[in-house]
Amino acid sequence: MGTRMRALLFALAGLAMLDAASGAAAIDFYAGRQIDLIVGSGPGGGYDTYARLLARHLARYLPGNPAVVVQNMPGAGGLRAANYLYNVAPKDGTAIGTFGHDLVLVGLLGRNASVQFDSRKFSWLGSASSFADDAYLLIARPDAPVKNATQARVPDGAPLLVGASAQGGGSSDIAILMRDTLGFNLKLIPGYPDSNAMFLAIDRGEIDARFTAVSVLQVTRPQWLKPQSGMHVIVQFARATRHPDFPDVPTARQLARSDRDRALIELAELPYLLDRPFVAPPNLPPERAQALQQAFASAQDDPQYRADAARLKLELSPVGGDEVLRAIERIGAASPDTLDYMKKLLTNTGGG
């Protein structure tokens, strides 16, 4: 056997021993412990549903099989939870979480004084959905004054009252973006604490419309997707092409008034590649970060997990932590003009 071959075999043996040692250390740590899964929204919404699904299956793939317990931490469109995970949660592998994918962009641009995290430095587990079979819809009540995109662009018509979470949250930002890039006549009604509160506001007639995903509607308001409901879908966002269930509803890209506006829309759509993100705090011990990442990936392929997701009508198109980081790099590579607009938007100056 040659010298180089012996060296390679020794190196591989060493790596195997290190992996075994890391696995043993993770088992010793996790056995008998509890992992808190922090959800940046209230019970019953889309992020909560995905989190509770993962919590039921993740422990089987973690060394030591710790308990996984969901804890809701709504506030500021998920910002409270993101700040907590980054700064306060234990950095030992006993805390993971999920929050609005829009906060990934917020954390990158660094212009919101309330943001206390860097999106690139979380320990990324991955995302349960890359939005491949989903769409983000502006959907309105049957009696709303605006029933389609053409009516939404009438400047002196009745404005569409659109509910949103706290300013700086995704629903708020996308509404402003649609106003600026598509010329929609929208009046933002912010301050709703979570998705469920916005659904109730539409039911009570407090607001005309809201932005929400098809996957969320399938779980929480499936009747809204039926033609007999009378609900109006105005535009679909985060789609390069029209969703097959809404062939007559234009995409935001199709309605963009200029190349610049289309570039802004495409930048804002990039975070949807990590639509249901799961993270751990930064600076975890490497063997625990690896254990969490591997467990997340294994759970996504679990037949029972997938069967439960299908029963709940959840869209699954998972990506791993490395793919999330590549998407984050693409966001950072956007042109200075588009990044400047997004910075202004996310500091609530409304863009230009």
Side-chain angles (χ1 to χ4, degrees):
M1 183 183 297
T3 303
R4 272 193 247 178
M5 180 59 73
R6 279 196 297 270
L8 177 60
L9 290 174
F10 279 126
L12 291 174
L15 288 173
M17 291 172 62
L18 284 173
D19 285 344
S22 295
I27 292 173
D28 290 342
F29 175 78
Y30 277 119
R33 290 185 182 262
Q34 173 178 304
I35 294 176
D36 294 327
L37 200 171
I38 307 299
V39 182
S41 59
Y47 290 101
D48 181 69
T49 304
Y50 274 89
R52 292 181 187 276
L53 171 65
L54 181 66
R56 290 197 295 273
H57 295 274
L58 187 66
R60 294 202 305 276
Y61 295 100
L62 281 166
N65 305 120
V68 181
V69 177
V70 173
Q71 295 187 12
N72 295 90
M73 190 180 289
L79 192 55
R80 179 184 173 209
N83 286 339
Y84 171 83
L85 285 161
Y86 195 85
N87 297 289
V88 180
K91 294 177 171 58
D92 61 359
T94 60
I96 61 176
T98 183
F99 44 75
H101 59 253
D102 53 287
L103 292 179
V104 175
L105 181 57
V106 174
L108 279 175
L109 297 177
R111 285 284 295 271
N112 186 327
S114 299
V115 173
Q116 300 167 14
F117 61 88
D118 182 335
S119 303
R120 293 163 291 197
K121 295 182 180 179
F122 277 114
S123 300
W124 281 97
L125 309 188
S127 174
S129 169
S130 58
F131 225 64
D133 300 314
D134 214 334
Y136 200 51
L137 308 177
L138 176 57
I139 189 167
R141 290 168 48 89
D143 58 354
V146 171
K147 296 174 172 55
N148 53 54
T150 300
Q151 293 177 357
R153 292 178 120 160
V154 176
D156 55 354
L160 191 67
L161 304 182
V162 179
S165 58
Q167 288 189 339
S171 53
S172 171
D173 296 337
I174 299 306
I176 295 172
L177 182 71
M178 296 299 94
R179 182 200 70 194
D180 290 357
T181 60
L182 306 185
F184 278 10
N185 184 9
L186 308 178
K187 182 176 180 181
L188 197 64
I189 311 296
Y192 289 97
D194 54 37
S195 181
N196 195 47
M198 281 186 271
F199 280 126
L200 292 175
I202 289 183
D203 290 339
R204 293 193 294 257
E206 296 174 6
I207 55 177
D208 298 322
R210 65 160 299 182
F211 280 96
T212 190
V214 172
S215 58
V216 174
L217 290 172
Q218 289 171 337
V219 174
T220 59
R221 290 293 192 280
Q223 67 274 18
W224 286 15
L225 296 171
K226 298 177 180 178
Q228 57 267 35
S229 72
M231 299 295 286
H232 306 290
V233 179
I234 311 298
V235 68
Q236 45 187 314
F237 184 78
R239 296 283 307 181
T241 59
R242 298 184 184 191
H243 191 284
D245 290 347
F246 303 96
D248 299 325
V249 179
T251 68
R253 296 187 193 190
Q254 290 174 321
L255 295 176
R257 298 177 296 182
S258 68
D259 290 342
R260 175 184 179 271
D261 288 345
R262 189 170 294 103
L264 291 171
I265 290 166
E266 290 179 6
L267 174 62
E269 289 176 337
L270 269 175
Y272 287 80
L273 292 172
L274 35 142
D275 180 50
R276 302 295 175 181
F278 286 86
V279 304
N283 303 318
L284 260 60
E287 72 277 3
R288 293 175 204 164
Q290 183 180 30
L292 288 168
Q293 290 162 346
Q294 290 177 345
F296 178 83
S298 296
Q300 302 304 310
D301 290 331
D302 181 274
Q304 187 58 53
Y305 172 91
R306 288 192 161 269
D308 288 349
R311 177 176 53 82
L312 293 168
K313 299 182 179 179
L314 299 182
E315 191 267 344
L316 291 181
S317 49
V319 294
D322 290 343
E323 291 174 270
V324 169
L325 288 171
R326 283 195 291 271
I328 289 174
E329 289 173 4
R330 287 177 60 192
I331 294 170
S335 72
D337 178 58
T338 54
L339 286 174
D340 185 60
Y341 169 89
M342 296 307 295
K343 288 177 182 178
K344 292 176 182 177
L345 172 63
L346 297 173
T347 48
N348 302 310
T349 60

